[in-house]
Amino acid sequence: MSKKLSIGSMLSLIIAAALLVTSLFFPWWGMKFFAPQYPEGLDIIVYPYTLAGDIDIVNGLNHYIGMTEFSNESFPELPYMKYLVIGLAIIILMIGFLRKKKLLYVGIGLFTIGGILGIYDMKRWLKKFGTELDPKAPIELDPFVPPIIGENTIANFVTNSYFTTGAFILGAAFICTLIPLWLERKK
């Protein structure tokens, strides 16, 4: 018979679930574009359910290199993401209340798979937008793939990609799901 998780582990999982839901209210990722004509930079800010920032200006500029426009409709996963996150939060919360160690591994596994799929999806979209350029665009540019994190130069633009508040909250939630492994190590 498997032993129940401690109260400390249960509280850590409850905090993890709360952090997951909290992350929905903050942007997860962003990209800032700098150029001589935009020294203050232009932003694309990605929330788990919508895009924000200087989308119209960036789309107007991207037209010149033949890049597909950024829009909420460009990312079919956006309308479902909040439900997936809430679903994971409910699962983590249930594991916390049931206090079964075997279920803890399921929660950690689901969280890990979700994170891997999320990073893969970001990389896939960045590749699609940067490599599927319209050959009839006014400015011919070699295909490129912006990094998920870091700096990239495209023509006269320098871009900086970065995780932001929501992603850090997700990271904290993941750590909170791992804490029970440490708390239960002697059992």
Side-chain angles (χ1 to χ4, degrees):
M1 185 175 187
S2 71
K3 295 185 178 184
K4 287 205 175 263
L5 295 173
S6 66
I7 296 296
S9 292
M10 179 182 83
L11 291 174
S12 185
L13 293 171
I14 291 169
I15 291 168
L19 287 170
L20 276 166
V21 173
T22 301
S23 78
L24 293 172
F25 299 98
F26 296 92
W28 286 6
W29 186 81
M31 183 180 275
K32 195 157 188 88
F33 300 77
F34 295 97
Q37 64 272 38
Y38 296 102
E40 74 286 352
L42 300 170
D43 291 300
I44 292 180
I45 302 166
V46 181
Y47 286 82
Y49 54 88
T50 192
L51 301 178
D54 303 304
I55 304 297
D56 292 337
I57 297 170
V58 171
N59 280 335
L61 295 167
N62 283 346
H63 161 77
Y64 291 106
I65 63 170
M67 185 181 282
T68 304
E69 285 194 357
F70 296 117
S71 70
N72 287 337
E73 292 74 30
S74 302
F75 303 96
E77 55 276 83
L78 283 179
Y80 306 104
M81 189 65 66
K82 61 184 166 195
Y83 299 112
L84 293 172
V85 172
I86 290 169
L88 180 59
I90 290 169
I91 290 169
I92 298 292
L93 193 61
M94 287 173 50
I95 293 167
F97 285 125
L98 293 173
R99 297 175 53 196
K100 293 191 177 185
K101 192 169 185 177
K102 287 181 182 179
L103 292 178
L104 175 62
Y105 297 116
V106 171
I108 291 170
L110 288 172
F111 208 137
T112 301
I113 290 168
I116 290 168
L117 289 174
I119 297 293
Y120 167 78
D121 194 45
M122 287 177 65
K123 186 70 172 173
R124 181 177 65 89
W125 282 115
L126 288 169
K127 182 178 180 183
K128 179 179 174 50
F129 278 97
T131 59
E132 295 180 9
L133 303 175
D134 184 351
K136 297 175 187 165
I139 298 172
E140 190 175 323
L141 193 66
D142 289 334
F144 60 93
V145 180
I148 292 175
I149 301 174
E151 189 175 287
N152 191 34
T153 301
I154 306 161
N156 68 333
F157 279 85
V158 175
T159 64
N160 288 299
S161 306
Y162 54 92
F163 287 114
T164 188
T165 308
F168 298 127
I169 293 171
L170 285 174
F174 185 66
I175 289 169
C176 286
T177 64
L178 296 178
I179 287 173
L181 293 177
W182 183 78
L183 292 175
E184 307 298 325
R185 70 193 180 286
K186 294 180 182 176
K187 291 185 179 181

